[in-house]
Amino acid sequence: MFFGMLVWVANCAGCGGSASTSFTFSLQPGGSEPYKPKTLTQQYNRLADRLGINTTIRRVRHYSATEPIGAGVDIRTAAGRLGHSAGGTTTFKIYAAWVTEADQRAAKILLEHIPPRPAERAKDAPTAP
């Protein structure tokens, strides 16, 4: 269960950006040495199987990018949480999945800012020619 808690905390806290000198997943106090990626993946898969959750550690990373972006967090902030330093390019291209709710909000905003058609303006303004 410790491992599950570690994944949850790492997901919520972020990686600390590119300036961080310690590894989030490490057996060493202070995070001086990283877990081997294969070991981390195997432990995560075993935990997910035990809990009956159909997920992968990669999906957790996608979720960590997609949810904040969908909620209105800017790409640069989401990128920093993932440890990307290219100003959000990598985050946007790879991790930020299409978010239907955010797309619907964008469509609504665009619709609200479309000016009325000229014929409709003429009906609303009695002095119009």
Side-chain angles (χ1 to χ4, degrees), residues 59-104:
R59 286 182 181 170
V60 172
R61 190 156 169 84
H62 282 276
Y63 179 86
S64 297
T66 303
E67 288 303 307
I69 291 167
V73 172
D74 63 284
I75 295 280
R76 290 189 98 147
T77 301
R81 293 184 53 79
L82 294 168
H84 297 162
S85 60
T89 304
T90 302
T91 307
F92 186 74
K93 285 182 178 178
I94 296 172
Y95 292 105
W98 186 259
V99 179
T100 304
E101 183 181 325
D103 181 53
Q104 289 171 352

mmCIF file of all heavy atoms in Angstrom, residues 59-104:
data_model
loop_
_atom_site.group_PDB
_atom_site.id
_atom_site.type_symbol
_atom_site.label_atom_id
_atom_site.label_comp_id
_atom_site.label_asym_id
_atom_site.label_seq_id
_atom_site.Cartn_x
_atom_site.Cartn_y
_atom_site.Cartn_z
ATOM 1 N N ARG A 59 -0.925 5.999 -18.169
ATOM 2 C CA ARG A 59 -2.241 6.629 -18.129
ATOM 3 C C ARG A 59 -2.338 7.622 -16.972
ATOM 4 O O ARG A 59 -3.013 8.640 -17.086
ATOM 5 C CB ARG A 59 -3.339 5.578 -18.007
ATOM 6 C CG ARG A 59 -3.572 4.822 -19.283
ATOM 7 C CD ARG A 59 -4.687 3.833 -19.114
ATOM 8 N NE ARG A 59 -4.897 3.078 -20.326
ATOM 9 C CZ ARG A 59 -5.678 2.023 -20.396
ATOM 10 N NH1 ARG A 59 -6.335 1.598 -19.324
ATOM 11 N NH2 ARG A 59 -5.816 1.382 -21.526
ATOM 12 N N VAL A 60 -1.668 7.326 -15.872
ATOM 13 C CA VAL A 60 -1.657 8.258 -14.743
ATOM 14 C C VAL A 60 -0.971 9.553 -15.178
ATOM 15 O O VAL A 60 -1.410 10.654 -14.855
ATOM 16 C CB VAL A 60 -0.955 7.649 -13.506
ATOM 17 C CG1 VAL A 60 -0.768 8.685 -12.413
ATOM 18 C CG2 VAL A 60 -1.743 6.458 -12.992
ATOM 19 N N ARG A 61 0.096 9.437 -15.938
ATOM 20 C CA ARG A 61 0.813 10.612 -16.426
ATOM 21 C C ARG A 61 -0.066 11.416 -17.383
ATOM 22 O O ARG A 61 -0.121 12.642 -17.312
ATOM 23 C CB ARG A 61 2.114 10.185 -17.092
ATOM 24 C CG ARG A 61 3.028 11.341 -17.404
ATOM 25 C CD ARG A 61 4.460 10.850 -17.498
ATOM 26 N NE ARG A 61 5.341 11.845 -18.030
ATOM 27 C CZ ARG A 61 5.914 12.801 -17.326
ATOM 28 N NH1 ARG A 61 5.668 12.889 -16.026
ATOM 29 N NH2 ARG A 61 6.721 13.666 -17.885
ATOM 30 N N HIS A 62 -0.777 10.738 -18.275
ATOM 31 C CA HIS A 62 -1.698 11.429 -19.176
ATOM 32 C C HIS A 62 -2.779 12.154 -18.373
ATOM 33 O O HIS A 62 -3.112 13.295 -18.661
ATOM 34 C CB HIS A 62 -2.353 10.441 -20.142
ATOM 35 C CG HIS A 62 -1.472 10.036 -21.273
ATOM 36 N ND1 HIS A 62 -1.335 10.783 -22.416
ATOM 37 C CD2 HIS A 62 -0.676 8.961 -21.438
ATOM 38 C CE1 HIS A 62 -0.491 10.187 -23.236
ATOM 39 N NE2 HIS A 62 -0.081 9.068 -22.665
ATOM 40 N N TYR A 63 -3.291 11.487 -17.369
ATOM 41 C CA TYR A 63 -4.315 12.082 -16.501
ATOM 42 C C TYR A 63 -3.757 13.333 -15.819
ATOM 43 O O TYR A 63 -4.446 14.346 -15.720
ATOM 44 C CB TYR A 63 -4.752 11.047 -15.468
ATOM 45 C CG TYR A 63 -5.791 11.534 -14.499
ATOM 46 C CD1 TYR A 63 -7.140 11.476 -14.818
ATOM 47 C CD2 TYR A 63 -5.423 12.053 -13.263
ATOM 48 C CE1 TYR A 63 -8.101 11.918 -13.927
ATOM 49 C CE2 TYR A 63 -6.381 12.496 -12.369
ATOM 50 C CZ TYR A 63 -7.717 12.433 -12.705
ATOM 51 O OH TYR A 63 -8.656 12.883 -11.822
ATOM 52 N N SER A 64 -2.502 13.258 -15.380
ATOM 53 C CA SER A 64 -1.865 14.383 -14.686
ATOM 54 C C SER A 64 -1.715 15.602 -15.582
ATOM 55 O O SER A 64 -1.606 16.722 -15.092
ATOM 56 C CB SER A 64 -0.485 13.984 -14.160
ATOM 57 O OG SER A 64 -0.613 12.973 -13.211
ATOM 58 N N ALA A 65 -1.693 15.388 -16.881
ATOM 59 C CA ALA A 65 -1.629 16.512 -17.813
ATOM 60 C C ALA A 65 -3.022 16.945 -18.241
ATOM 61 O O ALA A 65 -3.339 18.137 -18.264
ATOM 62 C CB ALA A 65 -0.809 16.128 -19.044
ATOM 63 N N THR A 66 -3.873 15.982 -18.563
ATOM 64 C CA THR A 66 -5.175 16.274 -19.145
ATOM 65 C C THR A 66 -6.135 16.966 -18.180
ATOM 66 O O THR A 66 -6.789 17.941 -18.544
ATOM 67 C CB THR A 66 -5.822 14.973 -19.659
ATOM 68 O OG1 THR A 66 -4.927 14.373 -20.588
ATOM 69 C CG2 THR A 66 -7.135 15.243 -20.345
ATOM 70 N N GLU A 67 -6.228 16.476 -16.961
ATOM 71 C CA GLU A 67 -7.206 17.034 -16.022
ATOM 72 C C GLU A 67 -6.950 18.504 -15.690
ATOM 73 O O GLU A 67 -7.862 19.311 -15.759
ATOM 74 C CB GLU A 67 -7.284 16.185 -14.754
ATOM 75 C CG GLU A 67 -7.969 14.853 -14.978
ATOM 76 C CD GLU A 67 -9.372 14.980 -15.530
ATOM 77 O OE1 GLU A 67 -10.196 15.715 -14.949
ATOM 78 O OE2 GLU A 67 -9.644 14.335 -16.556
ATOM 79 N N PRO A 68 -5.717 18.886 -15.332
ATOM 80 C CA PRO A 68 -5.498 20.320 -15.061
ATOM 81 C C PRO A 68 -5.748 21.198 -16.288
ATOM 82 O O PRO A 68 -6.341 22.267 -16.174
ATOM 83 C CB PRO A 68 -4.029 20.391 -14.631
ATOM 84 C CG PRO A 68 -3.719 19.028 -14.123
ATOM 85 C CD PRO A 68 -4.540 18.096 -14.978
ATOM 86 N N ILE A 69 -5.333 20.737 -17.464
ATOM 87 C CA ILE A 69 -5.547 21.527 -18.681
ATOM 88 C C ILE A 69 -7.039 21.667 -18.947
ATOM 89 O O ILE A 69 -7.531 22.746 -19.254
ATOM 90 C CB ILE A 69 -4.812 20.892 -19.878
ATOM 91 C CG1 ILE A 69 -3.303 21.027 -19.680
ATOM 92 C CG2 ILE A 69 -5.241 21.543 -21.193
ATOM 93 C CD1 ILE A 69 -2.466 20.188 -20.623
ATOM 94 N N GLY A 70 -7.785 20.586 -18.783
ATOM 95 C CA GLY A 70 -9.231 20.625 -18.973
ATOM 96 C C GLY A 70 -9.929 21.533 -17.980
ATOM 97 O O GLY A 70 -10.994 22.084 -18.258
ATOM 98 N N ALA A 71 -9.328 21.708 -16.807
ATOM 99 C CA ALA A 71 -9.914 22.566 -15.774
ATOM 100 C C ALA A 71 -9.475 24.025 -15.916
ATOM 101 O O ALA A 71 -9.851 24.866 -15.100
ATOM 102 C CB ALA A 71 -9.535 22.043 -14.387
ATOM 103 N N GLY A 72 -8.663 24.303 -16.940
ATOM 104 C CA GLY A 72 -8.275 25.688 -17.186
ATOM 105 C C GLY A 72 -6.855 26.056 -16.786
ATOM 106 O O GLY A 72 -6.454 27.201 -16.921
ATOM 107 N N VAL A 73 -6.076 25.107 -16.265
ATOM 108 C CA VAL A 73 -4.673 25.394 -15.928
ATOM 109 C C VAL A 73 -3.907 25.550 -17.236
ATOM 110 O O VAL A 73 -4.098 24.775 -18.174
ATOM 111 C CB VAL A 73 -4.069 24.247 -15.080
ATOM 112 C CG1 VAL A 73 -2.576 24.423 -14.880
ATOM 113 C CG2 VAL A 73 -4.787 24.154 -13.746
ATOM 114 N N ASP A 74 -3.062 26.554 -17.315
ATOM 115 C CA ASP A 74 -2.333 26.786 -18.555
ATOM 116 C C ASP A 74 -1.322 25.668 -18.823
ATOM 117 O O ASP A 74 -0.865 24.983 -17.919
ATOM 118 C CB ASP A 74 -1.625 28.155 -18.517
ATOM 119 C CG ASP A 74 -0.578 28.221 -17.432
ATOM 120 O OD1 ASP A 74 -0.976 28.352 -16.256
ATOM 121 O OD2 ASP A 74 0.623 28.117 -17.744
ATOM 122 N N ILE A 75 -0.989 25.504 -20.092
ATOM 123 C CA ILE A 75 -0.097 24.426 -20.541
ATOM 124 C C ILE A 75 1.265 24.523 -19.864
ATOM 125 O O ILE A 75 1.843 23.511 -19.484
ATOM 126 C CB ILE A 75 0.084 24.485 -22.077
ATOM 127 C CG1 ILE A 75 -1.226 24.195 -22.783
ATOM 128 C CG2 ILE A 75 1.167 23.541 -22.545
ATOM 129 C CD1 ILE A 75 -1.589 22.747 -22.884
ATOM 130 N N ARG A 76 1.811 25.723 -19.696
ATOM 131 C CA ARG A 76 3.145 25.872 -19.085
ATOM 132 C C ARG A 76 3.177 25.335 -17.663
ATOM 133 O O ARG A 76 4.144 24.704 -17.245
ATOM 134 C CB ARG A 76 3.574 27.334 -19.101
ATOM 135 C CG ARG A 76 3.878 27.829 -20.494
ATOM 136 C CD ARG A 76 4.484 29.167 -20.383
ATOM 137 N NE ARG A 76 5.918 28.940 -20.474
ATOM 138 C CZ ARG A 76 6.746 29.786 -21.025
ATOM 139 N NH1 ARG A 76 6.303 30.914 -21.482
ATOM 140 N NH2 ARG A 76 8.019 29.508 -21.082
ATOM 141 N N THR A 77 2.119 25.581 -16.894
ATOM 142 C CA THR A 77 2.065 25.083 -15.518
ATOM 143 C C THR A 77 1.972 23.562 -15.518
ATOM 144 O O THR A 77 2.676 22.890 -14.767
ATOM 145 C CB THR A 77 0.870 25.705 -14.763
ATOM 146 O OG1 THR A 77 1.038 27.131 -14.768
ATOM 147 C CG2 THR A 77 0.781 25.201 -13.347
ATOM 148 N N ALA A 78 1.096 23.024 -16.360
ATOM 149 C CA ALA A 78 0.978 21.563 -16.461
ATOM 150 C C ALA A 78 2.309 20.954 -16.888
ATOM 151 O O ALA A 78 2.733 19.924 -16.354
ATOM 152 C CB ALA A 78 -0.125 21.183 -17.443
ATOM 153 N N ALA A 79 2.993 21.589 -17.817
ATOM 154 C CA ALA A 79 4.296 21.098 -18.287
ATOM 155 C C ALA A 79 5.319 21.093 -17.156
ATOM 156 O O ALA A 79 6.082 20.144 -17.001
ATOM 157 C CB ALA A 79 4.799 21.973 -19.443
ATOM 158 N N GLY A 80 5.336 22.148 -16.364
ATOM 159 C CA GLY A 80 6.268 22.224 -15.236
ATOM 160 C C GLY A 80 6.023 21.123 -14.222
ATOM 161 O O GLY A 80 6.955 20.540 -13.683
ATOM 162 N N ARG A 81 4.754 20.798 -13.976
ATOM 163 C CA ARG A 81 4.428 19.718 -13.037
ATOM 164 C C ARG A 81 4.924 18.375 -13.537
ATOM 165 O O ARG A 81 5.232 17.495 -12.768
ATOM 166 C CB ARG A 81 2.922 19.657 -12.794
ATOM 167 C CG ARG A 81 2.388 20.876 -12.045
ATOM 168 C CD ARG A 81 0.927 20.744 -11.724
ATOM 169 N NE ARG A 81 0.624 19.505 -11.042
ATOM 170 C CZ ARG A 81 0.833 19.276 -9.743
ATOM 171 N NH1 ARG A 81 1.343 20.216 -8.998
ATOM 172 N NH2 ARG A 81 0.519 18.113 -9.205
ATOM 173 N N LEU A 82 4.988 18.212 -14.870
ATOM 174 C CA LEU A 82 5.458 16.957 -15.450
ATOM 175 C C LEU A 82 6.975 16.937 -15.643
ATOM 176 O O LEU A 82 7.539 15.922 -16.024
ATOM 177 C CB LEU A 82 4.772 16.709 -16.800
ATOM 178 C CG LEU A 82 3.269 16.463 -16.729
ATOM 179 C CD1 LEU A 82 2.661 16.521 -18.112
ATOM 180 C CD2 LEU A 82 2.971 15.141 -16.058
ATOM 181 N N GLY A 83 7.619 18.074 -15.394
ATOM 182 C CA GLY A 83 9.075 18.144 -15.552
ATOM 183 C C GLY A 83 9.522 18.490 -16.952
ATOM 184 O O GLY A 83 10.679 18.346 -17.296
ATOM 185 N N HIS A 84 8.611 18.988 -17.777
ATOM 186 C CA HIS A 84 8.971 19.381 -19.141
ATOM 187 C C HIS A 84 9.458 20.826 -19.135
ATOM 188 O O HIS A 84 8.876 21.675 -18.480
ATOM 189 C CB HIS A 84 7.766 19.260 -20.065
ATOM 190 C CG HIS A 84 7.260 17.869 -20.213
ATOM 191 N ND1 HIS A 84 6.011 17.587 -20.682
ATOM 192 C CD2 HIS A 84 7.835 16.678 -19.949
ATOM 193 C CE1 HIS A 84 5.847 16.278 -20.708
ATOM 194 N NE2 HIS A 84 6.936 15.703 -20.252
ATOM 195 N N SER A 85 10.500 21.098 -19.889
ATOM 196 C CA SER A 85 11.073 22.444 -19.877
ATOM 197 C C SER A 85 10.913 23.183 -21.202
ATOM 198 O O SER A 85 11.412 24.277 -21.347
ATOM 199 C CB SER A 85 12.559 22.365 -19.516
ATOM 200 O OG SER A 85 13.238 21.574 -20.475
ATOM 201 N N ALA A 86 10.216 22.621 -22.169
ATOM 202 C CA ALA A 86 10.102 23.250 -23.489
ATOM 203 C C ALA A 86 8.918 24.208 -23.582
ATOM 204 O O ALA A 86 8.408 24.449 -24.665
ATOM 205 C CB ALA A 86 10.000 22.164 -24.566
ATOM 206 N N GLY A 87 8.455 24.743 -22.460
ATOM 207 C CA GLY A 87 7.369 25.709 -22.470
ATOM 208 C C GLY A 87 6.006 25.114 -22.751
ATOM 209 O O GLY A 87 5.064 25.826 -23.036
ATOM 210 N N GLY A 88 5.876 23.815 -22.699
ATOM 211 C CA GLY A 88 4.583 23.169 -22.894
ATOM 212 C C GLY A 88 4.436 22.430 -24.203
ATOM 213 O O GLY A 88 3.442 21.756 -24.429
ATOM 214 N N THR A 89 5.427 22.534 -25.090
ATOM 215 C CA THR A 89 5.331 21.873 -26.393
ATOM 216 C C THR A 89 5.190 20.362 -26.246
ATOM 217 O O THR A 89 4.299 19.749 -26.823
ATOM 218 C CB THR A 89 6.573 22.200 -27.253
ATOM 219 O OG1 THR A 89 6.680 23.610 -27.353
ATOM 220 C CG2 THR A 89 6.461 21.601 -28.633
ATOM 221 N N THR A 90 6.056 19.758 -25.462
ATOM 222 C CA THR A 90 6.005 18.304 -25.260
ATOM 223 C C THR A 90 4.697 17.908 -24.589
ATOM 224 O O THR A 90 4.047 16.942 -25.003
ATOM 225 C CB THR A 90 7.197 17.835 -24.401
ATOM 226 O OG1 THR A 90 8.400 18.220 -25.061
ATOM 227 C CG2 THR A 90 7.176 16.340 -24.200
ATOM 228 N N THR A 91 4.315 18.633 -23.580
ATOM 229 C CA THR A 91 3.074 18.333 -22.854
ATOM 230 C C THR A 91 1.891 18.380 -23.799
ATOM 231 O O THR A 91 1.055 17.479 -23.820
ATOM 232 C CB THR A 91 2.858 19.341 -21.714
ATOM 233 O OG1 THR A 91 4.021 19.369 -20.911
ATOM 234 C CG2 THR A 91 1.653 18.977 -20.875
ATOM 235 N N PHE A 92 1.823 19.422 -24.610
ATOM 236 C CA PHE A 92 0.692 19.584 -25.516
ATOM 237 C C PHE A 92 0.671 18.490 -26.575
ATOM 238 O O PHE A 92 -0.372 17.918 -26.850
ATOM 239 C CB PHE A 92 0.746 20.968 -26.166
ATOM 240 C CG PHE A 92 -0.464 21.265 -26.995
ATOM 241 C CD1 PHE A 92 -1.678 21.561 -26.385
ATOM 242 C CD2 PHE A 92 -0.407 21.230 -28.365
ATOM 243 C CE1 PHE A 92 -2.802 21.821 -27.132
ATOM 244 C CE2 PHE A 92 -1.530 21.490 -29.130
ATOM 245 C CZ PHE A 92 -2.722 21.790 -28.520
ATOM 246 N N LYS A 93 1.814 18.187 -27.162
ATOM 247 C CA LYS A 93 1.872 17.208 -28.247
ATOM 248 C C LYS A 93 1.627 15.785 -27.767
ATOM 249 O O LYS A 93 1.005 14.994 -28.464
ATOM 250 C CB LYS A 93 3.231 17.259 -28.942
ATOM 251 C CG LYS A 93 3.414 18.444 -29.855
ATOM 252 C CD LYS A 93 4.766 18.362 -30.516
ATOM 253 C CE LYS A 93 4.983 19.493 -31.489
ATOM 254 N NZ LYS A 93 6.320 19.417 -32.091
ATOM 255 N N ILE A 94 2.148 15.432 -26.609
ATOM 256 C CA ILE A 94 2.134 14.031 -26.186
ATOM 257 C C ILE A 94 1.101 13.728 -25.120
ATOM 258 O O ILE A 94 0.363 12.757 -25.220
ATOM 259 C CB ILE A 94 3.532 13.614 -25.687
ATOM 260 C CG1 ILE A 94 4.516 13.709 -26.847
ATOM 261 C CG2 ILE A 94 3.504 12.203 -25.115
ATOM 262 C CD1 ILE A 94 5.951 13.505 -26.462
ATOM 263 N N TYR A 95 1.033 14.534 -24.068
ATOM 264 C CA TYR A 95 0.254 14.149 -22.902
ATOM 265 C C TYR A 95 -1.136 14.729 -22.798
ATOM 266 O O TYR A 95 -1.993 14.176 -22.132
ATOM 267 C CB TYR A 95 1.030 14.478 -21.621
ATOM 268 C CG TYR A 95 2.245 13.616 -21.469
ATOM 269 C CD1 TYR A 95 3.502 14.117 -21.714
ATOM 270 C CD2 TYR A 95 2.117 12.290 -21.097
ATOM 271 C CE1 TYR A 95 4.615 13.314 -21.582
ATOM 272 C CE2 TYR A 95 3.226 11.479 -20.975
ATOM 273 C CZ TYR A 95 4.476 11.995 -21.215
ATOM 274 O OH TYR A 95 5.559 11.205 -21.092
ATOM 275 N N ALA A 96 -1.377 15.857 -23.412
ATOM 276 C CA ALA A 96 -2.682 16.490 -23.249
ATOM 277 C C ALA A 96 -3.685 15.885 -24.227
ATOM 278 O O ALA A 96 -3.706 16.215 -25.394
ATOM 279 C CB ALA A 96 -2.566 17.994 -23.458
ATOM 280 N N ALA A 97 -4.510 14.985 -23.752
ATOM 281 C CA ALA A 97 -5.531 14.348 -24.583
ATOM 282 C C ALA A 97 -6.657 15.342 -24.853
ATOM 283 O O ALA A 97 -6.800 16.346 -24.161
ATOM 284 C CB ALA A 97 -6.075 13.108 -23.878
ATOM 285 N N TRP A 98 -7.458 15.051 -25.851
ATOM 286 C CA TRP A 98 -8.601 15.887 -26.178
ATOM 287 C C TRP A 98 -9.581 15.859 -25.017
ATOM 288 O O TRP A 98 -9.955 14.806 -24.545
ATOM 289 C CB TRP A 98 -9.260 15.364 -27.441
ATOM 290 C CG TRP A 98 -10.343 16.229 -27.935
ATOM 291 C CD1 TRP A 98 -11.672 16.024 -27.758
ATOM 292 C CD2 TRP A 98 -10.210 17.444 -28.669
ATOM 293 N NE1 TRP A 98 -12.377 17.049 -28.347
ATOM 294 C CE2 TRP A 98 -11.511 17.928 -28.909
ATOM 295 C CE3 TRP A 98 -9.130 18.170 -29.138
ATOM 296 C CZ2 TRP A 98 -11.752 19.100 -29.608
ATOM 297 C CZ3 TRP A 98 -9.369 19.327 -29.828
ATOM 298 C CH2 TRP A 98 -10.657 19.790 -30.064
ATOM 299 N N VAL A 99 -9.993 17.003 -24.562
ATOM 300 C CA VAL A 99 -10.908 17.085 -23.427
ATOM 301 C C VAL A 99 -12.237 17.647 -23.934
ATOM 302 O O VAL A 99 -12.331 18.819 -24.282
ATOM 303 C CB VAL A 99 -10.335 17.984 -22.308
ATOM 304 C CG1 VAL A 99 -11.293 18.082 -21.140
ATOM 305 C CG2 VAL A 99 -8.981 17.464 -21.863
ATOM 306 N N THR A 100 -13.260 16.788 -23.992
ATOM 307 C CA THR A 100 -14.556 17.166 -24.548
ATOM 308 C C THR A 100 -15.166 18.343 -23.807
ATOM 309 O O THR A 100 -15.663 19.290 -24.430
ATOM 310 C CB THR A 100 -15.520 15.965 -24.498
ATOM 311 O OG1 THR A 100 -14.909 14.892 -25.193
ATOM 312 C CG2 THR A 100 -16.841 16.290 -25.152
ATOM 313 N N GLU A 101 -15.136 18.309 -22.479
ATOM 314 C CA GLU A 101 -15.751 19.388 -21.694
ATOM 315 C C GLU A 101 -15.086 20.730 -22.005
ATOM 316 O O GLU A 101 -15.760 21.746 -22.179
ATOM 317 C CB GLU A 101 -15.629 19.076 -20.206
ATOM 318 C CG GLU A 101 -16.301 20.097 -19.325
ATOM 319 C CD GLU A 101 -16.127 19.771 -17.846
ATOM 320 O OE1 GLU A 101 -16.110 18.582 -17.495
ATOM 321 O OE2 GLU A 101 -16.008 20.718 -17.064
ATOM 322 N N ALA A 102 -13.754 20.736 -22.079
ATOM 323 C CA ALA A 102 -13.035 21.976 -22.385
ATOM 324 C C ALA A 102 -13.362 22.439 -23.799
ATOM 325 O O ALA A 102 -13.510 23.641 -24.051
ATOM 326 C CB ALA A 102 -11.535 21.767 -22.223
ATOM 327 N N ASP A 103 -13.505 21.505 -24.732
ATOM 328 C CA ASP A 103 -13.857 21.858 -26.098
ATOM 329 C C ASP A 103 -15.250 22.474 -26.144
ATOM 330 O O ASP A 103 -15.481 23.459 -26.846
ATOM 331 C CB ASP A 103 -13.790 20.617 -26.989
ATOM 332 C CG ASP A 103 -14.133 20.943 -28.432
ATOM 333 O OD1 ASP A 103 -13.519 21.866 -28.999
ATOM 334 O OD2 ASP A 103 -15.043 20.290 -28.973
ATOM 335 N N GLN A 104 -16.169 21.928 -25.375
ATOM 336 C CA GLN A 104 -17.528 22.473 -25.335
ATOM 337 C C GLN A 104 -17.532 23.885 -24.742
ATOM 338 O O GLN A 104 -18.268 24.754 -25.219
ATOM 339 C CB GLN A 104 -18.448 21.548 -24.548
ATOM 340 C CG GLN A 104 -18.738 20.257 -25.289
ATOM 341 C CD GLN A 104 -19.476 19.243 -24.441
ATOM 342 O OE1 GLN A 104 -19.655 19.420 -23.239
ATOM 343 N NE2 GLN A 104 -19.913 18.163 -25.067
#
